[in-house]
Amino acid sequence: MRISFLQRVFDLIAPRLCCICGSRLAPEEDAICVSCNLRLPRTDHLLQPYDNALAKTFWGRIKHMEKAAAMYYHHGGSQASYPIYNLKYDHRPEIGTALGRLMALEMENAHFFNDIDVLIPVPLSADRQRERGYNQSEIIAKGMAEICGKPVLTNVLERREYRGSQTQKGRWERNENVENAFFLLNGNKIKNSHILLVDDVVTTGATICACAKQLEQVAGVKISVATIGFADLKR
Ligand SMILES: [Zn+2]
């Protein structure tokens, strides 16, 4: 990343802070300081993108499942959760862009994007997006796109229901809640495409599966998955 003179001046006036430890960021650091970044509980998914804990979550549930990768294991309450928490609840969209870029750099090194055609972020309902001001998964996807150069499509999937915060609901209720929440809009745009579905955190995989079910109505569609945090429930 090139650091402009202006950026250095801004850093002096309003220092940017690491979203995990709160220490002051160096101009070349992006939302997370180098030492916190190194301490994130990273997955090794990129070593085996077709056969890892995240990919297995979708085996038998997504018909044309290809590969999957999460950046780090997500545990509620641990420091590794802070970036996602800040992104979702603390109006810090720039963290999503930074996380998307960071993860995409690692994916690019592993040639993950080579056969991917388009990125599709998991949509939010219009109500929720208005409330938050942005869709965190879309922000992450756009950060990834800065690195991989693939198009981000936000007009193919739509999420239509809104029934209060999911965090207050049990796992089963949550599953039922998302199953019929997504709708396919412009199927012609993704014919014969290898789609990378982008989410912020994957837990049960129900949301991703519900999205995939819609996308797979289109001929020749293949699905891969990328998420920043993964709560591996069997771990
Ligand atoms: Zn830090």
Side-chain angles (χ1 to χ4, degrees):
M1 196 179 34
R2 246 184 74 241
I3 315 297
S4 69
F5 172 73
L6 218 55
Q7 183 62 55
R8 287 179 198 280
V9 174
F10 281 138
D11 277 351
L12 281 176
I13 301 166
R16 301 170 311 135
L17 305 178
C18 169
C19 66
I20 296 179
C21 70
S23 70
R24 191 169 172 162
L25 291 176
E28 66 280 6
E29 288 171 339
D30 209 1
I32 301 175
C33 76
V34 169
S35 63
C36 285
N37 188 14
L38 287 174
R39 280 202 299 266
L40 279 179
R42 275 198 164 56
T43 73
D44 56 2
H45 292 175
L46 286 170
L47 297 176
Q48 285 189 296
Y50 291 89
D51 182 1
N52 57 52
L54 181 63
K56 282 178 186 161
T57 304
F58 303 113
W59 287 358
R61 298 167 80 191
I62 295 178
K63 236 183 297 166
H64 302 287
M65 180 66 201
E66 291 283 312
K67 51 190 175 177
M71 186 174 170
Y72 64 80
Y73 290 108
H74 178 79
H75 308 286
S78 81
Q79 287 203 324
S81 305
Y82 293 180
I84 296 282
Y85 189 89
N86 289 160
L87 166 64
K88 279 176 99 157
Y89 305 112
D90 212 15
H91 203 84
R92 301 280 305 276
E94 76 281 5
I95 293 175
T97 314
L99 289 171
R101 277 195 221 119
L102 279 174
M103 184 173 178
L105 282 170
E106 295 172 20
M107 293 163 83
E108 187 87 321
N109 285 337
H111 310 291
F112 192 99
F113 292 112
N114 284 10
D115 52 348
I116 301 285
D117 298 307
V118 294
L119 275 52
I120 296 187
V122 171
L124 284 184
S125 69
D127 282 354
R128 180 63 69 88
Q129 186 153 339
R130 210 172 302 122
E131 193 180 280
R132 188 170 292 158
Y134 54 88
N135 171 4
Q136 73 278 5
S137 300
E138 183 182 333
I139 301 274
I140 293 166
K142 285 182 172 163
M144 287 179 171
E146 283 181 28
I147 304 296
C148 71
K150 307 281 180 178
V152 178
L153 300 186
T154 55
N155 56 355
V156 171
L157 270 184
E158 189 180 62
R159 187 176 194 151
R160 279 186 205 159
E161 59 154 23
Y162 177 63
R163 286 190 210 142
S165 173
Q166 286 208 353
T167 52
Q168 284 152 21
K169 293 183 176 159
R171 188 175 154 194
W172 295 112
E173 200 180 340
R174 196 158 58 201
N175 284 354
E176 280 173 30
N177 212 17
V178 292
E179 197 169 344
N180 300 308
F182 298 97
F183 296 85
L184 181 70
L185 296 184
N186 298 294
N188 58 317
K189 288 194 191 302
I190 53 165
K191 213 170 166 196
N192 297 316
S193 295
H194 184 174
I195 295 163
L196 182 65
L197 268 173
V198 178
D199 207 352
D200 55 346
V201 177
V202 170
T203 51
T204 64
T207 305
I208 292 286
C209 287
C211 290
K213 200 172 95 186
Q214 294 301 311
L215 300 173
E216 284 185 327
Q217 294 175 35
V218 181
V221 158
K222 290 188 286 187
I223 307 280
S224 286
V225 177
T227 174
I228 300 294
F230 174 43
D232 186 352
L233 301 168
K234 290 192 281 297
R235 219 168 156 256

